[in-house]
Amino acid sequence: MNKDKEKNIDINDMAISLDVDKELIAKVRSGEIMHIGIDISENNQNLILENINGNLILVTEEMPVTFHGCYYYNKGEFPYAIKESLGYLVLNGGDDSCIAKIIGVHTEPGIRFNYKGNNKPIVENPNGDSCVWEAYFEVVPVPEEPKHYLMRWNPSISSFTEKDYKDCIANMNNGIFRINWSIYEWEEARRGDFFYMMRLGDDKAGIVFIGQFISDPYPADDWAGTTKRRMYVDMVCMNPVKHDAVPHVSLEKLQNAIPEMEWSKGHSGILLSEDIIKKIDMLQHD
């Protein structure tokens, strides 16, 4: 795995590393496979589930009669909390590897049994009070050399209103929300590329969230209601600024630090150079 890439996305303490077949990596990259299942066991539960002072966090109102590991069945409702900090799967396939961003989690009970105590054999029972829980991670690969795009949003004219934005933040799942957006320079854009969302048109102008494309560009009707067709991408959106707040990376900061770029007007979906990407990242972390 490329060490610079690992450092850039701060993957330490945010990932689970899995040994997989090379064929699975190829299918994740192509989009043929978007979900990867993992049994939550005693060996990996601390990597997947929230753990405070050595205690797994239960999100159920009643405590189990017997509790060990992540076995509690809880009437088929997942009783634990997936780590909010768990952001990536690292897929290792011999001489090939792939970093995949987790964009969704689904859990379901696996084999049921009655828990008899630590190191006691598990005997399957369809009506048992325990089970081995399974987590299915929806993922999108991080390309070896991802491109970065500047998307633009003016709430006063966009079909995506400030109320829509507020609602998206209020209903985030696994630290993200999902939207689609028109993209002007679409020819080189691919699933897995990254973007910065630039708010314009009011006193809250600046980069209001970042994210990743989870589709290749596709044509659809114009969001503005004209007869022309536009190209769109589906996106996952992360680290949003509150709808009524001035972003840390404001329009003023961008104009002062990167005057060679026209920030206050232009199309949505502009491919950014490596030099501008580095300067934006410096502003995000100052």
Side-chain angles (χ1 to χ4, degrees):
M1 179 167 44
N2 183 289
K3 293 298 182 183
D4 290 335
K5 183 170 66 173
E6 180 178 341
K7 182 179 179 181
N8 288 339
I9 62 175
D10 192 22
I11 205 167
N12 292 330
D13 299 324
M14 296 179 65
I16 297 176
S17 183
L18 304 174
D19 292 327
V20 299
D21 293 333
K22 292 178 63 174
E23 291 77 10
L24 184 142
I25 292 178
K27 291 180 178 179
V28 168
R29 287 193 176 118
S30 70
E32 184 178 348
I33 289 179
M34 294 186 63
H35 293 82
I36 296 175
I38 302 174
D39 287 345
I40 305 177
S41 67
E42 284 187 76
N43 294 328
N44 65 21
Q45 63 186 17
N46 291 338
L47 298 175
I48 298 175
L49 305 178
E50 290 287 0
N51 188 301
I52 299 177
N53 297 326
N55 299 307
L56 294 176
I57 305 304
L58 288 172
V59 291
T60 179
E61 292 182 356
E62 73 177 282
M63 290 296 291
V65 177
T66 60
F67 172 66
H68 181 75
C70 57
Y71 294 151
Y72 182 39
Y73 179 64
N74 193 43
K75 300 178 182 178
E77 295 292 328
F78 189 64
Y80 311 104
I82 298 289
K83 274 187 170 183
E84 289 188 4
S85 61
L86 182 58
Y88 298 90
L89 299 181
V90 179
L91 309 177
N92 296 310
D95 59 353
D96 192 11
S97 65
C98 174
I99 298 175
K101 170 68 180 174
I102 296 171
I103 60 172
V105 182
H106 170 72
T107 56
E108 62 182 51
I111 296 174
R112 289 181 62 180
F113 58 92
N114 288 317
Y115 177 65
K116 298 298 185 182
N118 194 18
N119 297 322
K120 296 292 180 65
I122 289 177
V123 178
E124 185 175 350
N125 181 343
N127 298 312
D129 59 7
S130 303
C131 68
V132 175
W133 281 94
E134 298 172 348
Y136 291 88
F137 295 101
E138 183 183 1
V139 297
V140 60
V142 178
E144 289 292 326
E145 297 181 357
K147 299 177 180 66
H148 291 69
Y149 288 81
L150 181 71
M151 318 302 279
R152 287 185 169 98
W153 171 45
N154 187 331
S156 65
I157 62 175
S158 175
S159 60
F160 184 71
T161 66
E162 186 161 2
K163 181 182 183 303
D164 292 331
Y165 180 46
K166 184 178 179 181
D167 290 343
C168 284
I169 294 175
N171 295 290
M172 291 176 67
N173 186 14
N174 199 42
I176 66 172
F177 63 89
R178 305 182 190 213
I179 55 177
N180 66 359
W181 212 263
S182 62
I183 179 168
Y184 183 71
E185 296 182 2
W186 59 270
E187 291 85 354
E188 296 183 41
R190 295 292 181 269
R191 176 174 171 267
D193 287 339
F194 293 92
F195 71 88
Y196 308 94
M197 180 60 74
M198 181 81 184
R199 177 171 179 161
L200 295 169
D202 56 24
D203 59 355
K204 305 176 190 68
I207 294 176
V208 288
F209 53 86
I210 61 174
Q212 194 173 10
F213 299 161
I214 57 173
S215 75
D216 291 339
Y218 58 87
D221 292 339
D222 182 18
W223 60 266
T226 71
T227 57
K228 66 181 179 181
R229 302 279 278 176
R230 291 185 186 267
M231 299 298 290
Y232 293 83
V233 284
D234 297 331
M235 311 189 302
V236 287
C237 310
M238 298 166 274
N239 302 330
V241 175
K242 289 184 178 180
H243 76 284
D244 57 354
V246 176
H248 175 68
V249 183
S250 65
L251 173 60
E252 182 180 5
K253 283 186 179 181
L254 289 163
Q255 290 173 327
N256 291 335
I258 316 172
E260 66 271 24
M261 179 84 178
E262 177 55 77
W263 296 102
S264 60
K265 61 182 179 180
H267 295 289
S268 178
I270 302 299
L271 180 60
L272 299 174
S273 68
E274 287 295 324
D275 182 57
I276 288 180
I277 294 166
K278 290 178 182 178
K279 291 178 179 178
I280 293 175
D281 287 344
M282 288 178 64
L283 291 175
Q284 288 181 314
H285 295 99
D286 69 6

